[in-house]
Amino acid sequence: MAVRSSRFAGPADLHLHSNHSDGTESPATVMRQAHAHGVRTAALTDHDRTTGWDEAGAAAVDLGMTFLPGMELSAKHEWRSVHVLGYLFDPAHEGLVAETERIRGDRIGRAERIVRSIGRDYDLRWEDVVAQTTPDATVGRPHIADALVARGIVRDRTEAFDGILHPREGYYEPHYAPDPLTAVRLILEAGGVAIIAHPVTAGRDRMMPVAFIERLIDAGLGGFEIDHRENTEDGKRTLRRIAAAHDLIVTGSSDYHGTGKPNLPGENTTSDDMVARLIDRATGSTPRLP
Ligand code: AMP
Ligand code: FE
Ligand code: FE
Ligand code: ZN
């Protein structure tokens, strides 16, 4: 099978963010950083948008890496924020394009509401957030965090998320996001492979009930991102059991955000076998090869 050839060999990191969402670096710089950390197969997975693919793909191929186009689609199950990674789908698929536009649009209004609310207690205005955002970016709380840093209110993103941006502080607002079933179905309809990102983080976004995860599997879910620094050890064991029972794809990734998070490219990786399965399954777009 061609995808098992040596050019796919080497560490694969399938979850990286650029400044087209809440990473701090351009797509090309993200690929250079991944390469510098030993990654040889990389996916760009910005939140709810695909505009970074061309730049990242060209940079990766120049560096002799394999590039997989991807996205981290925002979804929601009851009160839980659920992130669904989509790989190798058609970026022009109408349903998926419409859904991402709706999410991104609502994210802007939601960020404005959060900032207005914070602005009653701190010296923060919407312009401060705009100043931290590239025109291409999917706006999120990390940009509000950057504005709080620029204003000298907190030291870094971590302090912002542990403090002012934490829901307990009362400034939090949700944004529109589709149900995970819809998210998975859209990625499949667009010819992609759907993988639940960091399914078992500690704290607020606890794992979806197993019965619901089984509904996602019935709908064609491809697998889980298991090796991720925010997944709990208990959760990883549960996920490995479910994945084995259903012969699902399991991935490991860094969720690199540039300087926005401590996560480094290649800190978790996906096996060549799993990369091959992922590529074999997808019909919406193809990997970019060196
Ligand atoms: P939002 O989707 O706007 O609610 O923001 C959530 C995003 O914030 C996630 O995708 C993470 O990338 C980022 N994030 C969450 N917690 C932290 C943290 N402690 N430090 C830096 N970034 C974080
Ligand atoms: Fe993020
Ligand atoms: Fe995520
Ligand atoms: Zn992510």
Side-chain angles (χ1 to χ4, degrees):
M1 191 167 31
V3 289
R4 289 182 191 275
S5 71
S6 60
R7 61 186 172 186
F8 290 100
D13 188 340
L14 304 183
H15 189 164
L16 304 161
H17 291 270
S18 77
N19 60 9
H20 285 238
S21 63
D22 54 358
T24 58
E25 298 161 346
S26 71
T29 301
V30 171
M31 292 301 129
R32 279 193 289 273
Q33 290 288 354
H35 185 267
H37 284 84
V39 173
R40 293 297 176 262
T41 298
L44 188 74
T45 54
D46 278 311
H47 298 283
D48 311 311
R49 72 188 309 148
T50 61
T51 46
W53 286 7
D54 286 345
E55 184 187 319
V61 168
D62 271 355
L63 290 157
M65 299 162 74
T66 297
F67 175 75
L68 304 193
M71 178 168 76
E72 189 174 12
L73 184 58
S74 305
K76 191 161 33 178
H77 180 252
E78 297 164 351
W79 42 268
R80 298 172 190 83
S81 153
V82 175
H83 288 173
V84 186
L85 291 158
Y87 295 104
L88 295 158
F89 56 87
D90 172 8
H93 181 271
E94 272 180 36
L96 191 53
V97 167
E99 195 64 21
T100 53
E101 278 172 3
R102 182 172 175 195
I103 297 167
R104 293 199 310 269
D106 197 70
R107 275 175 164 284
I108 295 171
R110 171 258 198 165
E112 283 174 331
R113 287 194 296 279
I114 294 177
V115 169
R116 210 175 303 130
S117 168
I118 295 174
R120 290 191 199 107
D121 298 328
Y122 297 90
D123 184 16
L124 186 78
R125 280 182 297 274
W126 180 241
E127 295 72 55
D128 299 320
V129 177
V130 174
Q132 299 301 323
T133 312
T134 61
D136 267 342
T138 299
V139 177
R141 284 183 292 155
H143 302 101
I144 303 175
D146 292 345
L148 289 165
V149 174
R151 281 259 158 226
I153 299 166
V154 296
R155 218 175 17 223
D156 56 21
R157 280 189 184 182
T158 305
E159 190 181 328
F161 273 93
D162 289 346
I164 295 173
L165 293 178
H166 194 283
R168 83 170 99 73
E169 295 298 302
Y171 305 112
Y172 183 82
E173 298 258 355
H175 63 77
Y176 165 76
D179 177 86
L181 266 171
T182 304
V184 168
R185 285 186 186 129
L186 279 171
I187 291 166
L188 293 189
E189 272 175 28
V193 180
I195 304 283
I196 303 292
H198 45 72
V200 273
T201 59
R204 223 177 66 80
D205 297 329
R206 274 183 294 267
M207 194 169 105
M208 293 176 277
V210 172
F212 186 72
I213 289 179
E214 280 168 350
R215 286 182 65 197
L216 297 179
I217 295 170
D218 290 343
L221 178 72
F224 308 122
E225 180 184 62
I226 296 186
D227 288 319
H228 181 290
R229 65 156 72 200
E230 286 168 48
N231 281 334
T232 63
E233 291 306 318
D234 256 16
K236 286 183 197 178
R237 276 189 286 277
T238 306
L239 289 172
R240 281 190 214 287
R241 248 195 325 269
I242 301 173
H246 296 270
D247 194 26
L248 301 181
I249 296 171
V250 301
T251 67
S253 300
S254 67
D255 206 354
Y256 178 64
H257 280 70
T259 57
K261 273 188 170 182
N263 313 32
L264 291 176
E267 68 175 32
N268 287 296
T269 54
T270 300
S271 72
D272 292 350
D273 250 26
M274 291 297 174
V275 174
R277 281 181 61 177
L278 213 148
I279 292 171
D280 276 354
R281 228 175 130 128
T283 56
S285 60
T286 49
R288 321 261 156 102
L289 303 173

